[in-house]
Amino acid sequence: MKKITIIAAAAFILAACCSQSKYDGPVYLNPNAPVEERVEDALARMTMEEKVGMTTAQSKFSSRGVPRLGIPEVWHTDGPHGIRPEVLWDEWDQAGWTNDSCTAFPALVNLAATWDKEMSLLYGRSIGEEARYRKKDILLGPGINICRTPLNGRNFEYMGEDPFLAGQMVVPYVKGVQENGVAACVKHYAVNNQEFQRTQSNSVLDDRTLYEIYLPAFKAAVVEGGAWAIMGSYNLYNGQFNCHNKKLLCDILKGEWGFDGVVVSDWGGCRVSEEAILNGLDIEMGTWTNGLRGAASDSYRNYHMADPYLKGLREGKYTTKELDDKVRRILRVIFRTSMRPEPNYGRFVCPEHYQAARDIAAAGVVLLKNENNTLPLDVPQGGKIVLVGENAVKKLVVGGGSSNLKTAYEVNPLEGLQAAYEGVAEVVWERGYVGDVGTSYNLVDTGQDLSDDRSPKQLIAAAVAAAKDADYVIFIGGLNKSKHQDNESTDRFDTFLPYDQQDVIEALAEVAEKLVVVNISGSPVSMPWADKADAIVQGWYGGTESGNALADVLTGKVNPSGRLPFSIPFKYEDGPIKTERQYPGIKEEGDQFWQTYYDEGVYVGYRWYDSKGVPVQFPFGHGLSYSTFEYSDAKVSKASMKADGSVKVSVDIKNTGSCDGAEVVQLYIADPVASVDRPSKELKGFEKIWLKAGEKKTVTFEVAADALSFYDMETSGWKAEAGEFQALIGSSSGDIRTSVSFELK
Ligand code: GLC
């Protein structure tokens, strides 16, 4: 017995020595030490100057580390759809590297249109691997601002009009990115719902609207997704700039939600030193070197949290309390990213990423109309397909603003369909109209020459002539991320197609045997020409594999399963925004800023159209399949529930079509009797299910009080009132198939 004890003791001592000897350096350099211990150890070793240094940019896309301690600088990168090409140290223009052509993943609105959380996880993992491979620590995305107006120039970078959909879809993306040791920086926090005067516009809204519509997706990203970074937006909320907005950053984000990561300013979004220091901004990034506009060299010292901060600290205007909190957060991100325990190296432009881009893009394509089963295409051997429209050939990855990308290749719809029908049918292209012949952004160039000096009349005549003997005519138009379309810093002026595309569609409708219209856009486009088309498809900026993804759906290789993440109104005026003060806002005499009043409150998107009985062209959540689905036997697990309980709502879904397909079963909650005015229905659950032809499955939703609650202004908290609730189940907000009721005790 004695002998065994001695051996055991010796083994223990040896192990202890080994483990001790392995990391006898400082704790902060020990990758396996708890993050918080590493943070405190590093903080204690830093001088005040080093701490202040970490809180501001040192170049266009990097903020300082601590060279003396071997703590690396932090590399930030755009964007939500792919890793931006390397730019010059202090310029927007690209640096001309030859190894930074990335995979361009679909626009986030395309991801939202998949209504598929698995696709979102795949997206986050793939883009996170690309960021890691490019040695980036903070990915400046995803963007999740609510589509309050169809005119917003950045709807294409966001996830639609509903906070629940955006919240469910952002969480897997954040987790996927951060699995790679890269921080997702969710943006633009918050109520940044227009580009017009984005740095001078104050969003004015009540707390109920803020908490019910504009915060839930950010809360989900932080509380469920565990986001390590948040980007403050350019605009103001209730009179304070959002990059240092006390209520949004300190009270809600860091207070109520317990956010432990970093708040990064939008580039040049930090405007007031004292507020930045005291109201929760952690890293000030910039545009040009004085944070705002062109200035003397080495002006990074001029940043609001650079020399002015040091001066204030030395004069005793500030204690190091806020400074230490900022640096703790920055160190935490560094120990989770560049100095993380298990180094990994990601992957870049690999076949798996291209396949992911193609699968995600295809899964988000929305079949809006399909009269007489025009689609999928059924082209005879030796047949002819005529494509008409600039978006059949225009490369759409370049442009749009900071989400602009340089890719090794981009497959456009013409190429995608020609590949799909090689050896079977002739696929020809006619211009139809001339839109935007620009091909460059920040020196990233598509290499295309889209110039064409024919007149609109000539262009239409040529398209009509080619269409006459075609088996199918496919018009491929829409928007193109140029100014005043889907484009950062500019909004649209209306929701109709630009460049007189309607004339082309109408001319084609006169001669086409079968006319398919594909609208490629990132925002809702009104379609007064809808009855002229046999089939209508909502396509998106699908990234590198966009053309193949569209071809996959049109040919039937992929059964369309996308659903609209926003409503498509007949016309803009049908929507909830009726006055200038609502949009684009008003600037009173002597007022320093524009004021945008969210007078519509919670009545955004389908909440407005459904509650006010306003018909729309295509409703939120709408999308057809090549199959059909039957809903039956809706049930609720019990007739009533307690406030701390829940009920299970189930429904049977049968694929009554002739091919395998997916249905997005949507659950909306209605509160028919409430003490406040509430939307007639609100999305509180969805599930995308795949069913073989003839197969039936049961879908079950668990409904708890949070799905029944509204934000009560009286008590400044969430409230679910006792009484009857209805669970409306359907294929879109405008296609409720069945419902069940239950009571909240
Ligand atoms: C831009 C955008 C933001 C982007 C940043 C860096 O102004 O608003 O989304 O990440 O600056 O390019």
Side-chain angles (χ1 to χ4, degrees), residues 249-441:
L249 299 181
C250 300
D251 303 348
I252 298 174
L253 176 68
K254 296 180 176 180
E256 289 173 35
W257 300 347
F259 176 64
D260 72 353
V262 287
V263 173
V264 179
S265 75
D266 201 336
W267 267 235
C270 177
R271 310 287 287 276
V272 181
S273 276
E274 184 165 346
E275 285 186 11
I277 290 158
L278 300 177
N279 291 355
L281 180 63
D282 299 308
I283 302 180
E284 177 186 2
M285 297 305 289
T287 298
W288 282 284
T289 48
N290 73 340
L292 284 173
R293 282 287 172 265
S297 65
D298 189 27
S299 295
Y300 284 107
R301 303 310 318 153
N302 298 338
Y303 273 35
H304 301 90
M305 294 212 294
D307 287 352
Y309 194 5
L310 262 182
K311 184 168 179 290
L313 285 159
R314 287 177 182 142
E315 288 169 358
K317 182 177 180 185
Y318 309 113
T319 68
T320 58
K321 174 171 162 280
E322 293 82 13
L323 178 61
D324 289 346
D325 180 58
K326 297 177 203 295
V327 174
R328 283 193 174 93
R329 292 170 181 274
I330 298 167
L331 288 168
R332 201 169 288 138
V333 168
I334 291 172
F335 294 139
R336 287 169 172 166
T337 58
S338 54
M339 292 180 79
R340 69 199 175 284
E342 304 300 335
N344 60 313
Y345 303 95
R347 286 187 294 179
F348 197 61
V349 295
C350 56
E352 293 81 358
H353 291 175
Y354 290 136
Q355 190 59 50
R358 180 169 181 166
D359 293 346
I360 296 164
V365 173
V366 183
L367 179 57
L368 295 174
K369 175 185 178 185
N370 194 19
E371 218 148 72
N372 310 320
N373 294 321
T374 300
L375 291 175
L377 299 171
D378 179 9
V379 186
Q381 183 63 38
K384 175 182 176 183
I385 299 173
V386 174
L387 301 193
V388 179
E390 190 171 273
N391 282 0
V393 300
K394 184 175 176 60
K395 298 203 171 199
L396 292 169
V397 164
V398 172
S402 56
S403 60
N404 167 66
L405 294 172
K406 174 171 79 171
T407 61
Y409 71 94
E410 178 183 349
V411 180
N412 63 39
L414 175 61
E415 292 159 342
L417 281 162
Q418 284 174 332
Y421 285 104
E422 193 171 357
V424 173
E426 185 191 13
V427 182
V428 299
W429 172 66
E430 283 294 337
R431 188 64 184 268
Y433 65 92
V434 174
D436 168 50
V437 294
T439 63
S440 180
Y441 186 88

Side-chain angles (χ1 to χ4, degrees), residues 78 84 92 154 187-188 198 231 234 266 402 488:
D78 285 319
R84 183 176 185 148
W92 290 115
R154 296 186 84 172
K187 67 187 186 181
H188 303 84
R198 63 176 178 167
M231 184 186 291
Y234 281 125
D266 201 336
S402 56
E488 181 180 337

Side-chain angles (χ1 to χ4, degrees), residues 200-213:
Q200 304 295 335
S201 171
N202 178 39
S203 301
V204 184
L205 57 154
D206 65 28
D207 275 1
R208 182 176 172 211
T209 306
L210 179 72
Y211 276 91
E212 285 191 25
I213 303 298

Side-chain angles (χ1 to χ4, degrees), residues 5-193:
T5 311
I6 290 170
I7 290 170
F12 176 74
I13 291 165
L14 181 64
C17 291
C18 292
S19 66
Q20 184 53 35
S21 65
K22 201 169 178 188
Y23 296 110
D24 52 4
V27 170
Y28 78 94
L29 287 177
N30 175 352
N32 298 315
V35 167
E36 295 313 312
E37 285 182 27
R38 300 179 73 186
V39 166
E40 293 310 317
D41 182 46
L43 186 73
R45 297 166 187 268
M46 292 168 67
T47 65
M48 185 166 72
E49 288 72 11
E50 287 167 336
K51 291 179 186 176
V52 170
M54 293 190 96
T55 67
T56 60
Q58 63 172 13
S59 76
K60 188 59 72 200
F61 281 101
S62 71
S63 50
R64 269 179 216 81
V66 186
R68 176 178 69 84
L69 296 175
I71 294 175
E73 52 210 15
V74 178
W75 280 94
H76 310 239
T77 183
D78 285 319
H81 308 151
I83 310 309
R84 183 176 185 148
E86 203 66 28
V87 298
L88 293 168
W89 182 256
D90 189 25
E91 293 297 336
W92 290 115
D93 288 342
Q94 60 164 320
W97 287 22
T98 53
N99 64 345
D100 58 350
S101 294
C102 70
T103 302
F105 296 96
L108 285 197
V109 70
N110 185 160
L111 172 61
T114 69
W115 289 60
D116 185 336
K117 297 170 209 169
E118 290 305 311
M119 284 289 174
S120 180
L121 182 60
L122 172 65
Y123 195 123
R125 281 177 171 157
S126 305
I127 194 173
E129 287 183 340
E130 300 240 335
R132 174 48 49 226
Y133 189 84
R134 294 271 293 97
K135 299 183 176 52
K136 306 300 181 182
D137 307 308
I138 298 184
L139 175 70
L140 303 171
I144 51 173
N145 292 94
I146 293 299
C147 175
R148 170 178 180 254
T149 166
L151 304 182
N152 179 19
R154 296 186 84 172
N155 285 327
F156 75 103
E157 289 186 65
Y158 302 148
M159 295 192 179
E161 73 187 26
D162 180 85
F164 183 82
L165 174 64
Q168 293 291 305
M169 294 300 288
V170 72
V171 168
Y173 180 113
V174 168
K175 290 183 171 177
V177 168
Q178 298 188 163
E179 281 176 5
N180 289 283
V182 175
C185 183
V186 186
K187 67 187 186 181
H188 303 84
Y189 185 68
V191 285
N192 177 202
N193 305 98

Side-chain angles (χ1 to χ4, degrees), residues 467-547:
K468 281 203 169 68
D469 65 343
D471 295 286
Y472 288 89
V473 178
I474 305 176
F475 177 86
I476 304 184
L479 307 179
N480 55 27
K481 293 166 69 173
S482 60
K483 283 240 171 284
H484 297 295
Q485 290 190 26
D486 289 318
N487 188 291
E488 181 180 337
S489 83
T490 63
D491 290 340
R492 281 192 291 166
F493 297 118
D494 63 48
T495 57
F496 297 108
L497 286 174
Y499 315 122
D500 297 326
Q501 294 176 64
Q502 180 161 341
D503 296 346
V504 188
I505 292 170
E506 291 176 345
L508 292 172
E510 293 299 310
V511 298
E513 182 68 26
K514 291 180 180 172
L515 174 62
V516 178
V517 173
V518 178
N519 174 58
I520 292 181
S521 70
S523 322
V525 165
S526 296
M527 304 173 177
W529 38 265
D531 58 353
K532 302 267 198 255
D534 299 298
I536 304 173
V537 172
Q538 172 62 43
W540 312 99
Y541 306 121
T544 291
E545 286 283 336
S546 194

